[in-house]
């Protein structure tokens, strides 16, 4: 089996309702089942769930956590749950506006993997930040295959 890197991006607003939580976690369980590496940020909701779900498979999956403070952490499948430091993607000062650090982090994550990965995007149309849509646009521009799942879409 070839390596399958899956980048997860998702609206944090999905963590605000039990129905959206169940919906998103179900999608992640299906989408991550064939992954060999799960890459996500350090936000609540889909990022955290992706790491948790990857750890829960019978054959757990390697994970990377890209943090807004510039850190990049890795966790090896089958090992303890300890995160280890990898080469950083940036510094806490990557952008002077703290509100834009998640966008800078997402851009760095997409640029690092370019076409070697596929992306799973969990979108809440009611999200005020639109950060997930921004990340999806960057991924598509980089040639990454993106599968979008939109809460409430038929």
């Amino acid at each position: 089996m070839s390596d399958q890197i899956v980048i997860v991006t998702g609206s944090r607003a999905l963590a605000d309702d039990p129905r959206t939580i169940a919906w998103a976690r179900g999608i992640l369980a299906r989408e991550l089942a064939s992954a060999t590496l799960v890459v996500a940020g350090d936000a609540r909701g889909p990022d955290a769930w992706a790491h948790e779900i990857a750890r829960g498979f019978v054959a757990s999956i390697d994970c990377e956590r890209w943090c807004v403070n510039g850190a990049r952490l890795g966790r090896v499948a089958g090992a303890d749950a300890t995160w280890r430091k990898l080469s950083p993607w940036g510094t806490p000062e990557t952008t002077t506006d703290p509100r834009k650090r998640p966008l800078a982090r997402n851009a760095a994550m997409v640029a690092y993997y370019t076409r070697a990965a596929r992306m799973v995007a969990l979108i809440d149309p009611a999200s005020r930040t639109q950060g997930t849509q921004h990340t999806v646009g960057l991924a598509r521009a980089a040639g990454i295959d993106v599968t979008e799942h939109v809460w409430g879409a038929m």
Side-chain angles (χ1 to χ4, degrees):
M1 175 171 82
S2 64
D3 287 349
Q4 187 173 110
I5 300 166
V6 180
I7 301 170
V8 174
T9 185
S11 304
R12 290 171 295 171
L14 293 169
D16 296 338
D17 183 315
R19 295 170 302 153
T20 55
I21 292 169
W23 172 81
R25 290 178 66 89
I27 290 169
L28 287 172
R30 287 189 306 274
E31 291 281 1
L32 300 181
S34 61
T36 55
L37 174 63
V38 172
V39 177
D42 60 342
R44 70 183 177 94
D47 291 358
W49 301 330
H51 297 303
E52 177 188 333
I53 289 167
R55 184 79 179 159
F57 285 111
V58 173
S60 63
I61 300 165
D62 290 349
C63 293
E64 284 187 11
R65 177 179 287 153
W66 289 60
C67 305
V68 293
N69 69 1
R72 191 170 134 248
L73 307 174
R75 186 178 68 198
V76 178
D80 63 28
T82 303
W83 291 92
R84 68 189 194 299
K85 290 182 180 181
L86 304 173
S87 59
W89 68 266
T91 67
E93 299 78 26
T94 297
T95 176
T96 56
D97 183 349
R99 295 170 301 168
K100 293 187 179 183
R101 287 185 185 146
L103 298 178
R105 183 260 334 264
N106 294 344
M109 193 167 51
V110 166
Y112 187 83
Y113 285 102
T114 59
R115 295 172 192 250
R118 69 181 180 92
M119 178 176 281
V120 174
L122 302 169
I123 298 170
D124 182 347
S127 172
R128 292 179 292 180
T129 65
Q130 304 298 307
T132 300
Q133 291 86 332
H134 175 260
T135 306
V136 165
L138 294 172
R140 286 204 167 110
I144 294 174
D145 180 40
V146 178
T147 302
E148 287 186 49
H149 298 277
V150 181
W151 168 249
M154 294 298 193

